[in-house]
C-alpha cells in the first residue's frame, strides 16, 4: 500500500532488509529443518536490497539455506559485499551473492549503487568466510564500482553498527573518489533505534530490534541522471545539498493505516491476505499455540534490575537452573552453572506460555558442557571475569550479554528527579511528552534521542526504564546445605556452562592460571538444550490453563 501511495505521488519507495531473519520465532525455529515455512513467506515480499546478519552464519546449515534458497528467492536483490561461502556442490569458494547492484528507480530515475555488508564477524561456521571490511574496500571490484560517475546515490545496507570502524572505512573509501555524491547507510546488529551523520550528504539509520520498528528514511533533492528530480518540487537551496529526514515507525497496523490513509477495511490486499493465510497455516502445522503452562507474572530481560523478583534472569538463576541442570551419574556432585544472558532474547508475559513463547524467549540450539572437579576457589571467580569486573578482560566479552534496546544517547535524561542505581539504568531518551490533565495517558514505549534530536519517533510514548544486566548469571546447585549462615563450601565442583560460551570460559580459566583446554570438557546432559528444558520446567511448574 505504501508503494501504491509513492507511485501515485511520483516518488520512489525502497524496502531494505539488513539481516538477522532467523532465530527468535517459532515460525522459523519450530520446523524441521528450520526455516521451511519462513523462506516461503519471505519470498512473497518485494525487498529491493537485502543482506545477511550474523545469525544466519552460526551454523553451516543456515548459511547453506541462505545460499541455496534465500539468495535465489531474492531475484538479484541479495548483496554480499564481504562474504563468501563454500559451494556445497562444487566445494569451491564463491561469493554468497552479488557484491553490489546498480539500478535506477522507476518513478524518478535515480541511479542507485547498492552494497550489502556484514560487520567483521568471527563466529561464523567454517563453510563461510567473512572478509574484513577494511580489506574489502581496497579490492579492485569495489574501487571500480565506486569510481562510477553515473551514480546519484550510494546505498550501503549492512548488518553493521552505524558509528563503527566498518562503516567509517566504507565512508572514507567512497569519499576519496566521490566527494560529493550522497550516501545512505542502513545498519543493524546493535538492536537500537539510531541515527548517525557522516557529513552533510551522508547519513545512517538503524531500525531497532525484532521487527518492532520500521525505520523510514526520506531523501529529497537527489539528482536523477545528472538532473534534479521533478517531484517533489525543490528549491534552489536543495540544488547542492539534499535533505535527509528519519522516522521510527512502530510496526503495527495502526501505523500502516495512518500512513496510507486507509483503514481496516480498505488496507488489506488479496496478496496480503494470502500471505496472512500462509502464516496462519504454518502456525497451525507447527502447533505454535500449544500451551505448556501459564506464566503467573511478567518477567523482564531489561525492564527490571538484576537481581529482582521481576527479572527473567533471577527466575532462571533461582528457580529454573537448579531444577533442570542435573546429570544422573553426577546429580549429587555440587555444580556451578553459568549461562550467558544474551541467550535469553525476550521477556515472558503473564498468561499462556506456548511453543511460540519458548522460541521467542530462548531460540538457540544451546546445550550444556562441563569440566569436572574444578577447584571451587577457581570456579567461583569465573563470574567476575566473564562479567568484565576484572580490568584486564574488559571489552572482549560484549557478545555474551543481553542487548539493551536503547542507545547510550537515550538514557537517564528521560526521567526527572533522583535516580537510584543510575549506573545500572538506561532510559529511552530525553523526549518528555508534554501532557495536561485532560490528555489521555500515553502508552509506554520508545522515546528515542539520537543524533538529530528527539523528534524521530512516529508515535509519542511515555518512556520506559531499562536496566543493564550482567554478561552471565551463576546458579549454585547441590551445594552443602546448613542452617548456619556460612555453610562449608565444597572443595571441588562440576563447572557447567552453556556451550556457546565455552571459548570464553576456557579463556577465563587461562586468565586464572589454570591449564584447562577443550580436551577437559565433556557434554553435560547430552542431547538436551536450554530451550526444551525451559518448556519442560514450565509444563511441570506452571501447569494449568490461564
Amino acid at each position: 500500500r505504501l508503494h501504491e501511495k509513492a507511485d501515485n505521488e511520483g516518488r520512489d519507495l525502497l524496502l531494505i532488509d539488513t539481516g538477522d531473519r532467523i532465530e527468535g520465532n517459532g515460525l522459523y525455529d519450530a520446523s524441521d529443518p528450520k526455516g521451511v515455512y519462513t523462506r516461503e513467506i519471505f519470498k512473497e515480499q518485494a525487498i529491493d536490497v537485502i543482506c545477511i546478519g550474523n545469525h544466519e552464519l552460526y551454523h553451516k546449515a543456515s548459511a547453506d539455506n541462505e545460499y541455496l534458497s534465500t539468495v535465489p528467492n531474492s531475484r538479484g536483490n541479495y548483496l554480499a559485499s564481504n562474504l563468501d561461502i563454500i559451494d556445497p556442490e562444487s566445494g569451491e569458494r564463491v561469493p554468497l551473492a552479488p557484491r553490489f547492484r546498480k539500478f535506477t528507480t522507476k518513478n524518478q530515475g535515480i541511479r542507485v549503487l547498492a552494497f550489502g555488508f556484514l560487520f567483521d564477524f568471527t563466529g561464523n561456521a567454517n563453510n563461510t568466510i567473512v572478509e574484513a571490511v577494511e580489506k574489502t574496500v581496497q579490492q579492485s571490484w569495489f574501487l571500480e564500482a565506486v569510481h562510477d560517475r553515473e551514480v546519484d546515490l550510494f546505498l550501503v545496507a549492512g548488518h553493521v553498527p552505524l558509528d563503527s570502524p566498518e562503516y567509517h572505512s566504507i565512508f572514507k573509501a567512497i569519499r576519496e573518489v566521490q566527494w560529493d555524491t550522497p550516501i545512505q547507510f542502513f545498519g543493524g546488529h546493535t538492536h537500537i533505534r539510531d541515527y548517525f551523520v557522516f557529513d552533510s550528504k551522508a547519513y545512517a539509520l538503524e531500525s531497532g530490534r525484532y521487527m518492532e520498528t520500521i525505520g523510514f528514511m526520506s531523501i529529497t533533492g537527489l539528482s536523477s541522471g545528472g538532473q534534479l528530480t521533478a517531484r517533489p518540487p525543490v528549491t534552489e537551496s536543495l540544488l547542492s545539498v539534499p535533505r535527509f529526514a528519519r522516522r521510527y515507525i512502530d510496526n503495527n497496523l495502526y501505523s500502516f493505516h495512518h500512513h496510507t490513509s486507509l483503514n481496516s477495511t480498505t488496507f488489506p490486499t488479496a496478496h496480503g491476505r494470502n500471505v496472512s493465510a500462509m502464516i496462519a497455516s504454518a502456525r497451525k502445522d507447527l502447533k505454535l499455540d500449544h500451551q505448556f503452562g501459564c506464566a503467573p507474572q511478567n518477567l523482564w530481560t531489561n525492564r527490571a534490575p538484576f537481581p529482582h523478583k521481576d527479572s527473567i534472569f533471577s527466575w532462571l538463576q533461582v528457580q529454573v537452573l537448579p531444577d533442570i541442570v542435573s546429570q544422573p551419574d553426577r546429580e549429587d556432585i555440587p555444580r556451578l552453572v553459568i549461562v550467558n544472558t544474551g541467550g535469553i532474547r525476550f521477556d515472558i508475559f503473564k498468561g499462556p506460555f506456548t511453543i511460540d513463547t519458548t522460541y521467542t524467549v530462548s531460540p538457540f540450539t544451546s546445550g550444556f558442557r562441563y569440566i569436572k572437579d574444578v577447584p571451587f576457589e577457581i570456579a567461583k571467580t569465573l563470574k567476575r571475569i566473564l562479567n568484565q569486573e576484572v580490568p584486564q578482560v574488559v571489552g572482549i566479552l560484549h557478545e555474551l550479554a543481553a542487548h539493551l534496546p536503547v542507545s547510550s544517547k537515550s538514557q537517564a535524561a528521560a526521567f526527572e528527579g533522583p535516580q537510584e542505581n543510575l549506573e545500572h539504568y538506561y532510559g529511552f531518551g530525553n523526549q518528555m511528552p508534554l501532557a495536561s490533565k485532560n490528555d489521555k495517558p500515553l502508552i509506554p514505549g520508545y522515546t528515542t534521542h539520537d543524533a538529530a534530536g528527539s523528534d524521530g519517533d512516529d508515535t509519542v510514548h511515555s518512556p520506559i526504564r531499562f536496566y543493564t544486566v550482567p554478561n552471565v548469571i551463576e546458579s549454585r546447585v547441590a551445594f552443602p546445605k546448613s542452617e548456619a549462615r556460612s555453610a562449608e563450601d565444597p572443595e571441588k565442583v562440576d563447572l557447567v556452562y552453556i556451550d556457546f560460551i565455552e571459548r570464553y570460559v576456557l579463556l577465563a580459566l587461562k586468565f586464572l592460571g589454570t591449564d584447562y583446554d577443550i580436551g577437559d570438557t565433556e557434554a553435560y546432559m547430552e542431547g538436551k538444550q536450554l530451550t526444551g528444558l525451559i518448556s519442560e520446567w514450565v509444563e511441570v511448574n506452571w501447569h494449568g490453563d490461564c
Side-chain angles (χ1 to χ4, degrees):
R1 289 305 199 181
L2 286 172
H3 275 114
E4 291 175 3
K5 183 175 182 179
D7 290 345
N8 291 335
E9 296 175 351
R11 304 172 187 264
D12 291 295
L13 179 65
L14 303 179
L15 186 59
I16 314 298
D17 183 330
T18 58
D20 273 6
R21 287 168 295 280
I22 74 170
E23 299 182 325
N25 186 286
L27 275 177
Y28 173 83
D29 293 294
S31 67
D32 186 15
K34 293 180 182 294
V36 170
Y37 295 93
T38 52
R39 286 193 289 275
E40 294 303 309
I41 293 168
F42 291 156
K43 188 166 64 174
E44 297 298 315
Q45 183 60 269
I47 301 173
D48 294 283
V49 177
I50 181 173
C51 67
I52 205 159
N54 55 298
H55 280 265
E56 286 87 0
L57 297 181
Y58 280 114
H59 301 288
K60 180 181 182 298
S62 57
D64 283 343
N65 286 336
E66 287 293 296
Y67 178 63
L68 297 174
S69 181
T70 309
V71 170
N73 286 347
S74 300
R75 298 173 288 277
N77 297 342
Y78 201 125
L79 303 177
S81 299
N82 65 325
L83 177 64
D84 290 344
I85 190 168
I86 306 302
D87 188 297
E89 295 182 0
S90 70
E92 297 180 0
R93 175 176 171 172
V94 297
L96 179 88
R99 298 297 194 201
F100 65 96
R101 175 187 175 219
K102 186 177 180 182
F103 61 96
T104 300
T105 62
K106 68 176 182 178
N107 293 323
Q108 299 178 91
I110 298 168
R111 300 166 302 178
V112 180
L113 184 60
F115 301 93
F117 280 91
L118 177 65
F119 70 96
D120 293 346
F121 181 50
T122 59
N124 49 303
N126 62 9
N127 65 326
T128 57
I129 303 95
V130 180
E131 186 78 27
V133 172
E134 188 174 8
K135 291 183 178 180
T136 301
V137 298
Q138 298 171 6
Q139 293 176 356
S140 58
W141 71 263
F142 182 85
L143 295 173
E144 183 179 343
V146 298
H147 271 85
D148 186 346
R149 297 297 177 183
E150 297 184 352
V151 173
D152 302 311
L153 175 69
F154 288 101
L155 192 162
V156 182
H159 198 72
V160 182
L162 304 188
D163 186 12
S164 64
E166 291 94 334
Y167 267 181
H168 281 281
S169 292
I170 298 169
F171 169 73
K172 181 181 178 182
I174 295 175
R175 278 290 176 257
E176 284 178 349
V177 295
Q178 299 270 20
W179 67 273
D180 200 38
T181 304
I183 310 171
Q184 176 60 53
F185 292 86
F186 292 97
H189 188 57
T190 53
H191 294 187
I192 58 176
R193 294 181 173 189
D194 199 16
Y195 192 61
F196 187 78
V197 181
F198 289 91
D199 66 21
S200 64
K201 292 186 177 181
Y203 290 75
L205 179 72
E206 182 177 350
S207 306
R209 62 172 188 172
Y210 308 157
M211 279 288 288
E212 291 175 337
T213 301
I214 304 297
F216 182 80
M217 193 75 197
S218 170
I219 311 174
T220 56
L222 291 173
S223 63
S224 173
Q227 302 295 320
L228 280 174
T229 55
R231 298 176 68 181
V234 295
T235 65
E236 291 298 320
S237 64
L238 294 176
L239 290 174
S240 59
V241 181
R243 289 185 297 178
F244 293 76
R246 87 283 183 238
R247 182 70 69 180
Y248 305 109
I249 301 173
D250 289 358
N251 185 15
N252 57 55
L253 284 173
Y254 298 108
S255 295
F256 297 146
H257 293 167
H258 171 75
H259 287 289
T260 57
S261 301
L262 300 173
N263 56 41
S264 58
T265 301
T266 58
F267 180 80
T269 65
H271 184 216
R273 289 192 182 96
N274 288 340
V275 175
S276 294
M278 291 175 66
I279 295 171
S281 177
R283 291 186 62 84
K284 183 177 180 181
D285 290 349
L286 296 170
K287 300 180 174 60
L288 295 186
D289 294 321
H290 171 77
Q291 186 173 319
F292 290 117
C294 189
Q297 68 169 99
N298 295 328
L299 292 168
W300 308 110
T301 51
N302 294 108
R303 288 176 64 175
F306 174 84
H308 192 276
K309 64 180 179 63
D310 295 330
S311 167
I312 196 170
F313 303 112
S314 291
W315 169 71
L316 278 172
Q317 179 189 53
V318 176
Q319 298 185 49
V320 181
L321 293 176
D323 283 356
I324 67 174
V325 182
S326 178
Q327 187 163 280
D329 62 334
R330 301 185 71 82
E331 62 183 354
D332 295 328
I333 296 174
R335 48 201 175 275
L336 193 150
V337 184
I338 297 178
V339 172
N340 67 302
T341 56
I344 301 300
R345 303 299 279 185
F346 204 61
D347 311 310
I348 293 175
F349 298 108
K350 182 178 180 179
F353 190 102
T354 65
I355 289 178
D356 201 20
T357 308
T358 304
Y359 289 112
T360 302
V361 172
S362 175
F364 306 126
T365 56
S366 299
F368 289 89
R369 295 188 68 79
Y370 81 115
I371 303 173
K372 63 177 64 174
D373 300 331
V374 176
F376 177 64
E377 290 300 312
I378 296 291
K380 73 177 185 180
T381 310
L382 279 177
K383 181 178 70 171
R384 290 188 62 238
I385 296 175
L386 295 174
N387 284 335
Q388 297 174 275
E389 297 171 18
V390 179
Q392 290 88 337
V393 295
V394 167
I396 64 173
L397 305 171
H398 61 277
E399 68 180 70
L400 299 185
H403 286 280
L404 282 169
V406 294
S407 71
S408 59
K409 300 182 186 70
S410 298
Q411 47 184 331
F415 299 93
E416 299 176 356
Q419 296 164 15
E420 67 282 1
N421 298 322
L422 187 60
E423 69 274 15
H424 297 301
Y425 153 69
Y426 287 77
F428 267 130
N430 66 0
Q431 180 182 4
M432 199 66 176
L434 298 175
S436 70
K437 292 181 180 180
N438 297 323
D439 289 334
K440 293 182 179 179
L442 294 172
I443 297 173
Y446 289 113
T447 56
T448 311
H449 184 89
D450 60 21
S454 55
D455 60 349
D457 293 314
D458 190 58
T459 302
V460 178
H461 292 288
S462 62
I464 300 174
R465 292 193 174 191
F466 280 89
Y467 299 83
T468 58
V469 295
N471 293 337
V472 301
I473 58 173
E474 169 196 283
S475 187
R476 299 181 179 186
V477 185
F479 271 49
K481 294 182 179 180
S482 169
E483 293 182 2
R485 285 191 175 183
S486 56
E488 184 177 350
D489 289 330
E491 181 181 349
K492 295 181 178 180
V493 297
D494 282 351
L495 178 60
V496 186
Y497 52 86
I498 285 287
D499 57 16
F500 179 77
I501 67 172
E502 182 164 73
R503 60 179 171 141
Y504 302 105
V505 169
L506 293 174
L507 178 65
L509 288 171
K510 294 287 186 187
F511 181 81
L512 290 170
T514 73
D515 58 358
Y516 292 110
D517 60 27
I518 192 70
D520 298 304
T521 70
E522 300 178 45
Y524 194 86
M525 301 186 298
E526 191 164 10
K528 296 283 189 179
Q529 297 176 353
L530 180 61
T531 303
L533 292 168
I534 288 175
S535 62
E536 290 175 12
W537 187 94
V538 167
E539 202 161 22
V540 172
N541 293 274
W542 287 349
H543 59 82
D545 296 325
C546 296

